[in-house]
């Protein structure tokens, strides 16, 4: 392996190199403007933003964006490191570049008192075996639930009305999230006005069109965000304060997306909501290739003790789609 430098984002000579790298490796043509917006809006990125391996001729060979994420454990709040946008440029694979870069990042995390490194990946990717070699273990396989939206429709509580989202509802979404995840563990700390802070810059994120609200006596009691294509409607996040509101949101989706496949991302749900899904006729426990992996950086990664620390064993762990690294 030739010599290369490891630098932070602000030390890069040509930031467009990242655009090419992400386009080639991740199919994500992130221009410097997109990257700056991410850095400004998503409070999880660390001040240095990213670490990169740069070849002697200035080519950016590999990249990782760096996150510091507050999590909730059964022992209280704990900040953890997060790896995002892990990519080695084609032509530079299998030379140990990413292994060297991540090993350096682990040192950086420890210098910042971050003892755990988390990331989301897929078991079907070659990357998964690289993470295993680096010491990462599977903490949680991400599950989905599904149902065909057919007759007979779900019955729901007539006291609950399901309506459209309006911009001024943003802070109420924060409140529902906080109350619904009370007592849970994992990735449950979010900034104020979360939707605006994390997605305000993204043209694809359209809560006015895709978010539905459950209301009980004019008070918002739940919400669900649906991404729909002609055959499938996938719910990225659904949370509610009570079972009737939750089921009303599902019934509303069955009515609006008649004859489509309804899919619910379950990473952000605890056992309580998965039970509600089951009671509404959804098939639950469907494993995907997606997995959350974790590495304890100051010693061996003892999966059982990490599972118990983060409440995984008790069904309390949450890492929703919007909280992924
Ligand atoms: C995954 C990726 C970052 C690996 O980068 P890399 O610089 O080639 O990784 P390394 O050379 O450090 O790999 C170290 C070890 O990991 C394993 N590994 C890496 N890529 C692998 C692959 N595609 N298939 C199987 N094992 C792989 C191997 O054991 C490898 O050691 P070896 O080459 O001696 O067999 C790179 O393939 C990539 O950018 N892929 C596309 C984007 C992606 O999948 N990113 C991860 C998202 S979670």
């Amino acid at each position: 392996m030739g010599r290369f430098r490891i630098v932070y984002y602000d030390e890069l000579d040509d930031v467009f190199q990242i655009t090419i790298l992400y386009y080639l490796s991740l199919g994500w043509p992130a221009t410097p403007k997109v990257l700056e917006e991410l850095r400004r809006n998503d409070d999880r990125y660390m001040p240095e933003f990213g670490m990169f391996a740069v070849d002697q001729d200035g080519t950016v060979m590999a990249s990782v964006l760096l996150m510091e994420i507050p999590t909730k454990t059964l022992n209280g709040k704990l900040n953890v490191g997060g790896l995002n946008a892990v990519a080695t440029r084609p032509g530079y694979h299998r030379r140990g570049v990413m292994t060297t870069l991540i090993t350096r990042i682990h040192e950086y995390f420890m210098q910042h008192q971050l003892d755990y490194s988390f990331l989301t990946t897929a078991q079907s990717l070659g990357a998964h075996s690289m993470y295993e070699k680096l010491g990462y273990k599977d903490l949680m396989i991400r599950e989905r639930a599904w149902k065909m939206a057919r007759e007979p429709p779900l019955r729901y509580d007539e006291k609950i009305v399901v309506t459209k989202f309006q911009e001024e509802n943003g802070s109420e979404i924060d409140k529902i999230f906080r109350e619904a995840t009370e007592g849970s563990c994992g990735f449950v700390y979010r900034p104020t006005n979360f939707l605006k802070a994390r997605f305000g810059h993204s043209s694809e994120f359209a809560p006015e069109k895709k978010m539905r609200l459950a209301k009980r006596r004019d008070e918002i009691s739940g919400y669900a965000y649906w991404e729909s294509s002609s055959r499938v409607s996938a719910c990225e996040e659904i949370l509610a304060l009570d079972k009737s509101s939750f089921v009303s949101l599902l019934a509303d989706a069955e009515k609006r997306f008649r004859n489509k496949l309804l899919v619910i991302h379950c990473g952000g749900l605890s056992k309580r909501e998965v039970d509600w899904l089951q009671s509404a006729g959804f098939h639950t426990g469907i494993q995907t290739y997606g997995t959350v992996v974790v590495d304890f950086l100051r010693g061996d990664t003892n999966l059982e003790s990490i599972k118990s620390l983060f409440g995984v064993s008790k069904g309390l762990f949450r890492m929703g789609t919007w909280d992924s690294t």
Side-chain angles (χ1 to χ4, degrees):
M1 183 174 50
R3 286 156 58 92
F4 57 85
R5 292 179 295 137
I6 293 184
V7 300
Y8 294 125
Y9 185 79
D10 292 326
E11 295 167 336
L12 286 169
D13 295 327
D14 178 9
V15 178
F16 277 102
Q17 286 267 336
I18 309 293
T19 312
I20 298 162
L21 164 58
Y22 286 165
Y23 173 65
L24 296 175
S25 289
L26 301 172
W28 179 47
T31 56
K33 185 166 172 272
V34 169
L35 293 169
E36 285 300 340
E37 275 170 358
L38 273 183
R39 184 182 194 177
R40 205 174 33 247
N41 289 303
D42 191 331
D43 63 318
R44 298 172 302 167
Y45 287 111
M46 297 183 79
E48 286 78 12
F49 190 42
M51 233 190 246
F52 307 89
V54 184
D55 201 358
Q56 276 157 322
D57 69 2
T59 306
V60 177
M61 305 156 80
S63 145
V64 178
L65 299 182
L66 307 165
M67 291 178 155
E68 175 169 358
I69 311 168
T71 65
K72 202 156 156 193
T73 72
L74 289 174
N75 295 341
K77 190 171 174 184
L78 178 69
N79 281 13
V80 301
L83 305 184
N84 174 232
V86 175
T88 297
R89 184 168 164 149
Y92 295 86
H93 284 179
R94 308 296 285 261
R95 301 188 194 177
V97 179
M98 188 52 77
T99 301
T100 306
L101 185 58
I102 292 181
T103 305
R104 173 70 194 86
I105 290 170
H106 287 170
E107 288 165 18
Y108 166 89
F109 279 161
M110 284 191 283
Q111 284 157 7
H112 288 78
Q113 281 70 53
L114 303 173
D115 293 347
Y116 293 89
S117 176
F118 276 80
L119 66 98
T120 41
T121 183
Q123 284 177 323
S124 55
L125 287 176
H128 189 261
S129 71
M130 176 184 71
Y131 298 130
E132 272 182 338
K133 272 193 173 174
L134 279 159
Y136 286 80
K137 296 203 169 142
D138 288 357
L139 183 67
M140 183 185 81
I141 310 284
R142 303 187 110 181
E143 293 185 353
R144 293 197 189 160
W146 68 271
K147 185 180 184 183
M148 286 304 297
R150 287 204 200 106
E151 302 279 351
L154 268 173
R155 291 184 35 189
Y156 61 92
D157 190 337
E158 279 159 17
K159 289 191 220 76
I160 293 167
V161 181
V162 179
T163 63
K164 275 181 170 174
F165 172 92
Q166 285 170 335
E167 207 187 330
E168 63 267 23
N169 299 130
S171 60
E172 289 160 280
I173 299 297
D174 286 357
K175 192 163 156 272
I176 300 289
F177 179 83
R178 252 193 327 272
E179 287 181 30
T181 60
E182 177 90 54
S184 303
C185 292
F187 292 68
V188 292
Y189 291 112
R190 287 180 169 179
T192 312
N193 211 344
F194 170 80
L195 297 177
K196 204 160 177 202
R198 208 163 284 168
F199 303 110
H201 61 286
S202 159
S203 55
E204 283 144 42
F205 193 74
E208 287 83 2
K209 273 204 228 138
K210 301 176 182 175
M211 177 91 85
R212 302 289 286 174
L213 303 177
K215 287 188 180 171
R216 184 192 284 280
R217 283 191 293 275
D218 268 354
E219 293 271 319
I220 296 178
S221 54
Y223 65 89
Y225 185 92
W226 296 90
E227 279 295 347
S228 291
S229 66
S230 56
R231 292 173 201 157
V232 181
S233 287
C235 185
E236 294 193 350
E237 184 156 296
I238 176 167
L239 281 174
L241 300 182
D242 55 79
K243 182 175 173 183
S244 313
S245 303
F246 193 91
V247 173
S248 299
L249 288 161
L250 296 172
D252 170 67
E254 283 196 9
K255 204 160 68 191
R256 295 173 60 234
F257 307 127
R258 180 81 2 148
N259 291 322
K260 285 194 197 177
L261 175 66
L262 302 182
V263 176
I264 315 280
H265 293 250
C266 297
L269 304 183
S270 69
K271 187 174 174 313
R272 178 179 73 149
E273 291 105 4
V274 173
D275 290 346
W276 292 347
L277 281 172
Q278 251 170 9
S279 74
F282 277 76
H283 301 268
T284 61
I286 314 298
Q287 295 202 342
T288 65
Y289 294 122
T291 177
V292 180
V293 297
V294 59
D295 191 8
F296 177 60
L297 305 177
R298 295 195 189 272
D300 287 342
T301 300
N302 180 333
L303 196 59
E304 287 320 306
S305 74
I306 296 177
K307 278 188 173 169
S308 101
L309 178 66
F310 285 91
V312 179
S313 329
K314 292 192 170 154
L316 296 175
F317 183 82
R318 296 180 192 257
M319 190 208 250
T321 307
W322 295 340
D323 302 296
S324 296
T325 64

